[in-house]
Amino acid sequence: MTSRQASRRLSTARRLIPANQWQRPTPSTLKADLIAGITVALVLIPQSMAYAALAGMPAYYGLYAAFLPVMVAALWGSSPQLATGPVAVVALLTASALTPFAEPGSSEYITLAITLAMMVGLFQLLLGLFSLGTLVNFLAHPVILGFTNAAAIVIALSQVNDLLGIPMDREAGMLSGVIMVLADIGSTHLPTLLLGLAALLIMFGSRRLIPSIPGVLIAVVVLTPVSYVIGYAEMGGEVVGEIPAGIPTPAMPAWDWETIRALLTTAAVIALVGFMEAISIAKALAAKTRDRIDPNQELVGQGLANIASSLSQAFPVSGSFSRSAVNHSNGARTGMSSVFTAVMVALALLVLTPLLYHLPMSVLAAIIIMAVIGLVNVKAMIHTWKTHTHDGAAALTTFVATLAFAPHLDYGIVIGAGLAIVLYLLRTMRPRVVILSRHPKDGTLRDAQLFKLPVSRHIAALRFDGPLYFANVGHLEDRTLEINHDHQEARFLLLVGDGITSIDSSGIETLHNLHQRLHDNGVTLVLAGIKLQVWEVMQRAGLDKEIGHDNIFRNEDDAIRAIHQRIDDPSFDPRSCPLRPV
């Protein structure tokens, strides 16, 4: 075993140990974490029940997902302030994945959700242990931006029926279901609508007037007794109902290989999207607190949290932006704040469940709508389009596809990610290949055409900007031969390679072919500024010996100086050459 392999194994083993963010507690840090933990719990308890309903689960399963996973993510993650638990986007992805297989809320559906949480957790855990956190980069920012905007709209629309008290037929698709609900708006259950609107007004008003107190908590505390007093359930209104008292008993999910195969793609999408959401929040908080964030350790933390959620009979979880912001703004210092949050949720499960019986489902719908309003960011979409049309196209395509395929949101993100990769390949297939000349002011080599500089008759110098790989080798070959054809007198072709960041076997073969074809035309290929990683590949392929070490130089000035000494044209004057050494 090499020292590098031993180091990797040691690093992997260390990630399974709780993260090193736990310092000896002091009265001040404990007090700050306790206050933050209690405050987050007051937001989390009603939110978790709302997100459970969004995921197609009975509301109290949200409390199960808000207990053990919250603590586990804090213990094994690298961010002290990241608040993990049920979140809107992951909840909706869960519902979209499982609805085709079972009726939401049924025992079969719950079993599938528990299995899905385990699959998501194992996927994230393996990525973290093998340091593969960079895989999330395949979900480019424009794709996530388009998906988040569309998902927020879909989530809000999915709650319209609960807000109005009208059943929704989701089999025809999310948008069709909403249209049918609006067409039947005359059947609105007035008490349901009034309680939902009251919840929205309370949360909106508290955000403006008393931002220090969570509006979610005020809405639940005020409207649950109102529901009981007016006999809302007896009027036909839908309430949370009876919640089994006590902490869930840990149990392994039922494994069915047919189901696992069916859910594998969705589990991968939820794992990547959930982690992308969590790590983005963690990095945003770290920028304020100057904490060090380890993405792979955070993957381990999120993976173990999802495994814990499955063992707790719950559904997939992730990092929450709103609760993490509450955690940070209330002075959380370490992950102990999340431990205190979990303890508060446990107390709620043991003691407070009878008080939540009359909580109206329309209030939970209002909580979800209020939570996702902030996810819609039209300005960011416009800015992305202005910055780069390819990125804008990826964001817009993801947005439209996610809406069109709702509630199957994973289709939208897969289409967007695929398009982003294709557009990247198209961009890199035709990188810049420019003819170089010496700029008279600063003496640097510049694009001769752009700066209208004279070019040398004896040396054709060009620069290739980008990785040299299978998709763009044809472009380099065509441009090089074209430049060679246009410079008939030039006996040397200088390729400045400081812009070539990497090379594959196709690139090696192309340089080999160029060397041979130029040599047959009486032209010498000279390389300059080759990066170390490219040079190592050339050495392994033997290309350095083929081209000749006397034709490969560390920088373009050394190359030009050597070429000048080898030009045998009696009329050649190095001082008047546009490509003179500095």
Side-chain angles (χ1 to χ4, degrees):
M1 182 187 298
T2 65
S3 59
R4 181 177 294 181
Q5 289 173 326
S7 176
R8 284 179 180 173
R9 290 190 178 183
L10 180 60
S11 176
T12 299
R14 282 177 177 169
R15 290 199 181 103
L16 291 173
I17 302 171
N20 185 28
Q21 56 166 286
W22 305 96
Q23 43 188 312
R24 187 179 295 277
T26 63
S28 62
T29 59
L30 275 177
K31 181 180 178 182
D33 288 338
L34 178 61
I35 293 171
I38 293 173
T39 307
V40 171
L42 295 176
V43 176
L44 174 59
I45 290 171
Q47 262 194 0
S48 64
M49 299 175 71
Y51 294 149
L54 179 61
M57 303 282 282
Y60 62 86
Y61 276 83
L63 296 175
Y64 296 167
F67 169 48
L68 197 56
V70 174
M71 191 183 305
V72 170
L75 282 167
W76 272 271
S78 62
S79 173
Q81 282 87 25
L82 180 65
T84 299
V87 295
V89 173
V90 171
L92 188 60
L93 281 170
T94 300
S96 69
L98 302 183
T99 300
F101 298 99
E103 181 67 24
S106 65
S107 58
E108 183 183 358
Y109 186 97
I110 293 169
T111 301
L112 289 172
I114 294 168
T115 303
L116 182 62
M118 178 63 73
M119 293 173 65
V120 170
L122 290 174
F123 194 90
Q124 290 177 329
L125 179 61
L126 289 174
L127 289 179
L129 291 178
F130 288 99
S131 301
L132 296 175
T134 52
L135 279 179
V136 298
N137 293 332
F138 283 102
L139 297 179
H141 172 70
V143 176
I144 291 296
L145 180 64
F147 172 76
T148 303
N149 276 272
I153 294 172
V154 171
I155 291 168
L157 291 176
S158 71
Q159 301 306 301
V160 169
N161 65 308
D162 286 330
L163 203 62
L164 299 175
I166 302 174
M168 179 189 288
D169 180 11
R170 300 177 188 271
E171 292 184 2
M174 179 64 66
L175 297 180
S176 298
V178 171
I179 291 172
M180 285 188 284
V181 167
L182 294 177
D184 194 28
I185 199 167
S187 303
T188 299
H189 188 248
L190 192 57
T192 297
L193 177 60
L194 292 176
L195 285 172
L197 291 177
L200 287 172
L201 287 172
I202 289 171
M203 288 184 286
F204 184 79
S206 64
R207 181 182 292 181
R208 292 291 184 91
L209 302 176
I210 42 174
S212 58
I213 301 177
V216 174
L217 178 64
I218 298 174
V220 171
V221 169
V222 170
L223 296 177
T224 302
V226 170
S227 170
Y228 171 73
V229 170
I230 67 174
Y232 173 67
E234 287 73 24
M235 294 178 184
E238 190 177 358
V239 296
V240 168
E242 189 171 347
I243 300 176
I247 296 171
T249 304
M252 285 293 293
W255 290 99
D256 178 356
W257 291 111
E258 288 296 325
T259 302
I260 290 172
R261 279 199 294 269
L263 297 179
L264 193 60
T265 301
T266 301
V269 170
I270 292 176
L272 292 176
V273 171
F275 174 65
M276 180 77 99
E277 190 173 4
I279 197 64
S280 299
I281 298 163
K283 287 181 177 179
L285 292 173
K288 298 177 181 179
T289 62
R290 299 186 180 180
D291 291 316
R292 181 181 174 274
I293 301 299
D294 181 351
N296 290 306
Q297 184 65 52
E298 202 58 58
L299 258 175
V300 170
Q302 292 295 307
L304 291 175
N306 274 293
I307 292 172
S309 187
S310 178
L311 295 176
S312 302
Q313 313 301 301
F315 51 94
V317 297
S318 183
S320 164
F321 179 80
S322 60
R323 296 194 300 273
S324 298
V326 170
N327 203 26
H328 171 69
S329 63
N330 281 274
R333 305 282 184 83
T334 71
M336 275 302 296
S337 62
S338 292
V339 174
F340 288 129
T341 297
V343 171
M344 289 293 295
V345 173
L347 289 174
L349 281 166
L350 292 169
V351 179
L352 301 178
T353 51
L355 302 178
L356 297 171
Y357 181 96
H358 290 279
L359 174 59
M361 294 300 293
S362 60
V363 173
L364 295 183
I367 291 172
I368 292 172
I369 292 172
M370 200 69 185
V372 300
I373 285 175
L375 296 178
V376 179
N377 192 340
V378 178
K379 287 184 178 180
M381 293 278 288
I382 296 173
H383 181 264
T384 300
W385 186 276
K386 288 181 177 178
T387 302
H388 201 293
T389 52
H390 281 187
D391 289 343
L396 184 60
T397 301
T398 307
F399 177 82
V400 173
T402 303
L403 286 178
F405 287 107
H408 302 289
L409 303 189
D410 51 330
Y411 294 174
I413 202 165
V414 168
I415 290 171
L419 178 64
I421 292 172
V422 169
L423 291 175
Y424 168 76
L425 290 175
L426 289 174
R427 285 200 301 270
T428 58
M429 282 176 65
R430 297 182 65 82
R432 291 177 72 247
V433 180
V434 298
I435 301 175
L436 300 174
S437 187
R438 187 75 67 184
H439 198 282
K441 289 186 178 180
D442 55 16
T444 59
L445 292 181
R446 300 286 188 90
D447 183 344
Q449 183 178 0
L450 179 64
F451 291 93
K452 297 180 173 57
L453 302 174
V455 296
S456 172
R457 289 190 303 110
H458 298 85
I459 310 169
L462 59 100
R463 184 176 64 227
F464 180 90
D465 293 328
L468 184 56
Y469 72 116
F470 67 91
N472 61 24
V473 290
H475 180 61
L476 172 64
E477 189 170 17
D478 292 343
R479 285 288 292 134
T480 302
L481 294 177
E482 179 185 333
I483 291 170
N484 177 59
H485 179 270
D486 293 341
H487 294 71
Q488 296 285 340
E489 296 182 56
R491 297 294 91 194
F492 294 89
L493 191 144
L494 171 62
L495 175 59
V496 178
D498 53 9
I500 302 176
T501 54
S502 62
I503 191 170
D504 65 0
S505 58
S506 298
I508 292 292
E509 183 64 21
T510 297
L511 290 180
H512 163 77
N513 292 337
L514 283 174
H515 168 70
Q516 290 292 334
R517 294 184 66 173
L518 292 172
H519 183 268
D520 293 343
N521 292 336
V523 178
T524 301
L525 175 64
V526 179
L527 303 180
I530 300 298
K531 294 183 180 297
L532 177 61
Q533 63 268 28
V534 177
W535 174 250
E536 289 175 345
V537 178
M538 290 176 58
Q539 282 185 313
R540 289 197 295 269
L543 187 63
D544 59 323
K545 295 179 181 178
E546 180 182 338
I547 294 176
H549 289 108
D550 56 338
N551 291 321
I552 302 175
F553 297 88
R554 179 175 298 179
N555 57 64
E556 56 266 29
D557 286 327
D558 290 346
I560 293 170
R561 193 175 292 110
I563 291 172
H564 279 193
Q565 295 175 358
R566 293 160 62 180
I567 294 175
D568 55 7
D569 184 352
S571 64
F572 174 68
D573 182 3
R575 293 171 297 180
S576 61
C577 179
L579 279 174
R580 59 187 181 279
V582 176

